[in-house]
Amino acid sequence: MTIIELLKGIISDFVYRNQETGYAVLSCSTETGHVTLVGDLASATKGCVLEAQGDWKEHHKYGRQFAVLSWSESAPRDLESIKLYISDYTSGIGPKYAARIVAHFGVDSIEIMDKTPERLIEVRGIGKKTLSKIKASWAQQNEVRDLSLFLLPYGISGSIARRIYRKYKETSIAVIKENPYRLADEVSGVGFLTADKLAMSMGIDENSYVRLRGGALYVMHEITNSGHVYATRKQIVDRAMELLNVDEVRLQATLDDMVATEEIVREGRDTLYLKPLYYAEKGIAGNLKRLLNTSGPLPVDIDSIQDKTGVIYDDAQADAIQLAMSSKVMVLTGGPGTGKTTVTRGIIAALEENGLDIQLAAPTGRAAKRMEEAAGMESRTIHRLLESSREGGFTRNAENPIDGDVLIVDESSMIDTVLMNALLRAIPTSMRLILAGDVDQLPSVGPGTVLRDIIDSGAVPVIRLTKIFRQAQGSNIITNCHRVNNGECPEFKYGKDSDFFFIRDDDAGHISQQIVELTRKRLPVAYSVSPTDIQVLAPQKTSAIGTRALNEALQAALNPVGPSIICGDYTFREGDKVIQMVNNYDKEVFNGDVGLVMSVDVTDREITVAVEGREVKYADTELNELALAYAITIHKSQGSEYPIVIIPLHTTNYGMLERHLVYTGFSRAKRLLVVVGSRRAMCRAVEYEAATKRQTMLKEWLSEAEKEEEHD
């Protein structure tokens, strides 16, 4: 049972503070001595008297800490605390000027800065220019403080208050009073639930249109976050009724109003879209039709291509090369070992014989690098191909299309509806398009099943490679990938030449220990590799064998000491493997990019990470974009390939054990795959194929376009 305690003291220093997330670690002077506090404390100020409610925790590494649940602060009373307060609260006033101000005005210093800041000119060294900066900074901090105090009774954290202030500045409180639901639409990190809690506390009518509208949008976003492109009216109404506790008639009327004002789009009788997804899915269909409606067959001599590549193609592979030459758009799909890379090289050779300018791209940096190594020519991520801008869009579009005669895109199953639309918009009508990928892997993280819909529509020529070639038949990894994809349990052939091992262990806690020992010693010694060549892929983040627990255990075993920086749940050190968790267009690093920490600057709280051959610097406020990557989820591994892969499978992860997930994880291993876990979990994963079909209309729209074309 948690015992809530009250702690009171003076804030003496910050050990860590992240203004973006609000998380902070601070030192506080109390009657019993100095204590460490952790929590949403970034907006607290040095020198202030802090009153905090929370409970004591024992951190395995940093000892006893007071975890703060709620807090308030009051102005400092003694001169030393006033110096700290002024210095910390105001940019432009360091310890030296803070000491001079306090020496001149004493205990009245804060009141002077509040009411008659012009008097600061009396302090030696403060001129008109410095005074202007101090006044502006002090006024802004006061506005943030006033906003935080206004929101405090409603349970809104200081970190959210700062986000709101960055959006609305001095009008923040007025905006909230007028319509708190604007926060959910316009402020990053403030969702509907937070806005609704605030609105209800302020006495806004629970049946008001702004609330029903906000709730409907929230439900639609939740549905699309699970992979669907649209929602049915019934899904929205049922979920929103439960969320908002309102009657159906009002919700139905709200949805009708939202359709009438074109805030959402209705397609057919009860299919409702968020506007961006509607136009993205329509855009994919329209742009594919645009490309397909132009002819451009090219000559190809398979014998000549075989001489050039040194490969003898079977009938299906030769058909794929010929189809690429006769079609403006085509899809090449197939599982591991079926020769997609071999066929792609042949297609490139045939295109080069026709003197065409070829562009290669893939959704992730690792996938692009693999493609580049296989093809022997430059490959880029789709984001770099489209030249992502700092504002989040792309500079390449219909008005400024990408260059070249042919675009070949690998790992196309990873591309979601929004990104595929952006890509197709930027392809000029004269360009040929080849989409390659394994359609049986997990679908994209974002909404849609674009590659599958394109294949199933029948509108685009498709070659599906199924034959496993002789050199691949000797690989237990590849043969077992296909067994899993067919719903059959893997076969294990143990021996020194095997590339697939199963270590049976029914204890989730012991599985974690096994993985640490395999990564730290057994596999590096047996296969003469570095632990960095070994990638642990877990079904999910949580649980005893989830990525969070495994990362902590692996870091403790592989990289336990050295200068470090703490950010949230992670400690970063030189040599750590890390993964980018969000797209950062300024740095040109994207969700899923993996790197190695090259240096840690504890003083400036900055780390440098090597990502795809580049060094990228992360400031204090950007560290929350990173996570440790000794273990990552199978979802995050899509598009990547690793020399050695370890996968834990246990009934602890029962809800995540699904055929396509395991198939994707198995196919990430290049040299060796080790599965540690229970046979029951393995059987569950192979037998269960998730029945949930993502709600999309792309297949239907492409099929309609195909029928119209045949009719014409």
Side-chain angles (χ1 to χ4, degrees):
M1 179 178 174
T2 300
I3 300 175
I4 303 300
E5 297 187 26
L6 178 66
L7 184 145
K8 187 174 181 179
I10 297 173
I11 303 170
S12 54
D13 199 7
F14 282 90
V15 178
Y16 169 70
R17 175 161 54 175
N18 189 319
Q19 295 289 5
E20 290 294 315
T21 64
Y23 182 81
V25 180
L26 59 81
S27 177
C28 193
S29 177
T30 69
E31 291 180 353
T32 59
H34 278 80
V35 298
T36 300
L37 285 78
V38 297
D40 189 359
L41 292 159
S43 58
T45 315
K46 286 183 188 178
C48 276
V49 178
L50 183 77
E51 289 190 10
Q53 287 186 313
D55 63 308
W56 291 98
K57 303 285 187 184
E58 189 68 31
H59 193 281
H60 73 282
K61 192 180 300 182
Y62 301 107
R64 198 166 186 245
Q65 300 175 333
F66 190 77
V68 175
L69 299 173
S70 62
W71 60 275
S72 62
E73 66 180 15
S74 54
R77 301 183 183 97
D78 64 275
L79 295 181
E80 197 60 37
S81 295
I82 292 172
K83 289 179 193 176
L84 284 173
Y85 179 83
I86 292 174
S87 176
D88 188 58
Y89 196 64
T90 317
S91 61
I93 298 183
K96 181 175 70 174
Y97 282 114
R100 290 181 184 177
I101 290 170
V102 173
H104 189 81
F105 296 112
V107 294
D108 297 327
S109 297
I110 294 175
E111 185 177 2
I112 292 292
M113 295 186 71
D114 273 337
K115 297 179 179 178
T116 56
E118 294 79 9
R119 289 192 60 192
L120 293 177
I121 205 78
E122 299 172 18
V123 177
R124 178 170 57 88
I126 296 180
K128 291 182 178 180
K129 188 175 180 180
T130 302
L131 174 62
S132 177
K133 289 181 180 179
I134 292 172
K135 285 171 66 177
S137 176
W138 187 266
Q140 179 176 310
Q141 292 297 339
N142 280 340
E143 288 168 356
V144 175
R145 181 191 62 187
D146 291 344
L147 177 60
S148 296
L149 291 173
F150 171 75
L151 293 171
L152 191 61
Y154 305 114
I156 306 299
S157 69
S159 60
I160 291 179
R162 286 188 295 278
R163 290 178 186 172
I164 294 169
Y165 182 81
R166 282 197 292 270
K167 176 68 178 178
Y168 304 116
K169 298 295 189 289
E170 68 277 359
T171 66
S172 295
I173 293 176
V175 166
I176 293 169
K177 286 181 176 179
E178 179 187 357
N179 178 10
Y181 292 102
R182 281 184 63 182
L183 304 180
D185 291 343
E186 300 171 359
V187 180
S188 173
V190 181
F192 171 79
L193 297 180
T194 299
D196 192 48
K197 178 182 176 183
L198 177 59
M200 293 298 95
S201 300
M202 293 172 62
I204 289 179
D205 183 2
E206 67 174 11
N207 290 310
S208 64
Y209 176 79
V210 290
R211 182 170 187 258
L212 301 186
R213 169 198 167 275
L217 287 175
Y218 171 75
V219 167
M220 292 184 74
H221 279 291
E222 287 292 292
I223 291 170
T224 59
N225 286 342
S226 64
H228 302 296
V229 180
Y230 68 81
T232 66
R233 180 181 282 261
K234 186 177 187 305
Q235 286 174 328
I236 300 167
V237 170
D238 288 349
R239 294 196 193 185
M241 283 174 62
E242 183 179 352
L243 173 72
L244 303 173
N245 193 29
V246 295
D247 67 73
E248 181 178 348
V249 174
R250 291 179 185 273
L251 277 169
Q252 294 282 13
T254 299
L255 290 175
D256 288 338
D257 286 343
M258 294 170 72
V259 170
T261 58
E262 298 183 350
E263 189 165 20
I264 59 177
V265 179
R266 180 171 59 206
E267 178 70 24
R269 184 176 179 182
D270 69 345
T271 299
L272 298 174
Y273 279 86
L274 295 168
K275 284 178 72 173
L277 287 175
Y278 175 79
Y279 289 113
E281 197 166 60
K282 274 288 193 182
I284 293 172
N287 280 299
L288 280 175
K289 183 178 180 181
R290 168 177 62 85
L291 295 172
L292 288 163
N293 279 351
T294 57
S295 60
L298 297 170
V300 58
D301 183 342
I302 295 297
D303 291 335
S304 173
I305 301 304
Q306 290 181 151
D307 291 340
K308 186 174 182 179
T309 61
V311 176
I312 303 300
Y313 302 107
D314 72 0
D315 290 344
Q317 292 177 320
D319 287 346
I321 296 171
Q322 290 172 333
L323 187 64
M325 296 301 103
S326 63
S327 307
K328 280 296 299 296
V329 182
M330 74 162 284
V331 171
L332 175 66
T333 189
T338 57
K340 288 196 306 297
T341 300
T342 300
V343 170
T344 301
R345 289 197 197 104
I347 290 172
I348 290 172
L351 293 168
E352 287 176 336
E353 282 201 346
N354 282 276
L356 299 185
D357 181 12
I358 306 164
Q359 298 269 21
L360 305 182
T364 67
R366 281 182 171 262
K369 186 176 182 180
R370 283 176 54 206
M371 193 181 192
E372 185 171 299
E373 291 169 351
M377 57 189 297
E378 183 188 13
S379 177
R380 289 175 285 176
T381 64
I382 294 173
H383 285 85
R384 290 197 176 96
L385 177 73
L386 297 179
E387 298 175 7
S388 54
S389 67
R390 293 184 176 184
E391 292 72 33
F394 300 104
T395 59
R396 294 289 186 170
N397 48 42
E399 291 71 39
N400 182 32
I402 56 180
D403 301 320
D405 302 312
V406 186
L407 174 62
I408 304 175
V409 184
D410 199 11
E411 297 289 353
S412 296
S413 63
M414 295 179 63
I415 307 175
D416 65 24
T417 300
V418 173
L419 184 58
M420 183 63 85
N421 180 51
L423 177 64
L424 293 176
R425 286 184 66 230
I427 296 177
T429 303
S430 59
M431 180 174 269
R432 313 176 83 85
L433 173 64
I434 299 167
L435 298 173
D438 186 348
V439 74
D440 293 320
Q441 287 188 29
L442 289 168
S444 57
V445 175
T449 49
V450 178
L451 184 64
R452 180 168 295 281
D453 287 347
I454 291 173
I455 292 172
D456 291 347
S457 72
V460 175
V462 177
I463 289 288
R464 179 159 192 156
L465 303 174
T466 57
K467 178 182 176 181
I468 305 175
F469 283 85
R470 185 178 302 170
Q471 61 269 30
Q473 290 175 358
S475 166
N476 289 333
I477 295 173
I478 290 175
T479 55
N480 279 324
C481 279
H482 288 274
R483 288 184 65 84
V484 169
N485 199 33
N486 293 328
E488 303 169 12
C489 285
E491 291 180 344
F492 306 106
K493 299 176 182 177
Y494 298 108
K496 64 178 182 178
D497 295 328
S498 179
D499 60 2
F500 188 155
F501 293 94
F502 175 64
I503 300 175
R504 184 170 182 176
D505 197 324
D506 296 323
D507 185 325
H510 193 249
I511 289 173
S512 176
Q513 297 173 30
Q514 290 248 35
I515 289 172
V516 168
E517 191 61 20
L518 285 164
T519 307
R520 185 180 67 84
K521 186 177 181 180
R522 289 171 61 185
L523 295 179
V525 170
Y527 291 89
S528 301
V529 296
S530 165
T532 57
D533 293 324
I534 301 169
Q535 184 61 59
V536 179
L537 303 180
Q540 64 187 98
K541 295 178 182 178
T542 55
S543 86
I545 53 169
T547 57
R548 290 174 183 169
L550 288 171
N551 271 315
E552 188 171 338
L554 287 164
Q555 186 188 46
L558 299 173
N559 196 24
V561 296
S564 62
I565 297 175
I566 303 170
C567 180
D569 294 332
Y570 298 107
T571 299
F572 298 113
R573 297 190 185 94
E574 183 178 321
D576 277 336
K577 189 189 291 187
V578 293
I579 185 169
Q580 180 77 16
M581 301 301 289
V582 296
N583 291 335
N584 186 318
Y585 296 96
D586 288 343
K587 296 182 183 299
E588 291 192 341
V589 286
F590 303 102
N591 191 352
D593 285 351
V594 173
L596 201 67
V597 177
M598 304 303 293
S599 64
V600 174
D601 187 333
V602 177
T603 303
D604 292 335
R605 293 192 58 79
E606 180 181 84
I607 70 174
T608 302
V609 179
V611 183
E612 302 297 337
R614 298 185 302 120
E615 290 197 351
V616 182
K617 291 188 181 296
Y618 290 81
D620 179 29
T621 56
E622 299 167 323
L623 294 178
N624 60 316
E625 296 183 4
L626 296 172
L628 291 177
Y630 296 101
I632 63 175
T633 63
I634 293 174
H635 277 90
K636 285 285 187 184
S637 75
Q638 285 180 266
S640 300
E641 194 174 68
Y642 311 95
I644 297 177
V645 168
I646 303 173
I647 299 178
L649 291 178
H650 190 266
T651 50
T652 303
N653 305 127
Y654 195 81
M656 294 295 296
L657 298 177
E658 189 270 338
R659 185 183 304 169
H660 295 292
L661 183 86
V662 174
Y663 171 72
T664 301
F666 283 11
S667 63
R668 301 305 91 201
K670 187 175 183 181
R671 180 180 176 188
L672 178 70
L673 173 62
V674 180
V675 178
V676 187
S678 69
R679 288 192 178 276
R680 183 183 173 194
M682 176 85 77
C683 291
R684 152 73 183 188
V686 172
E687 292 170 0
Y688 176 61
E689 185 174 17
T692 304
K693 183 182 183 298
R694 291 187 173 185
Q695 293 169 180
T696 75
M697 289 287 290
L698 180 59
K699 173 186 171 183
E700 286 73 17
W701 282 331
L702 285 171
S703 298
E704 288 173 7
E706 176 72 3
K707 290 174 184 176
E708 289 172 6
E709 183 67 21
E710 289 175 359
H711 182 72
D712 292 343

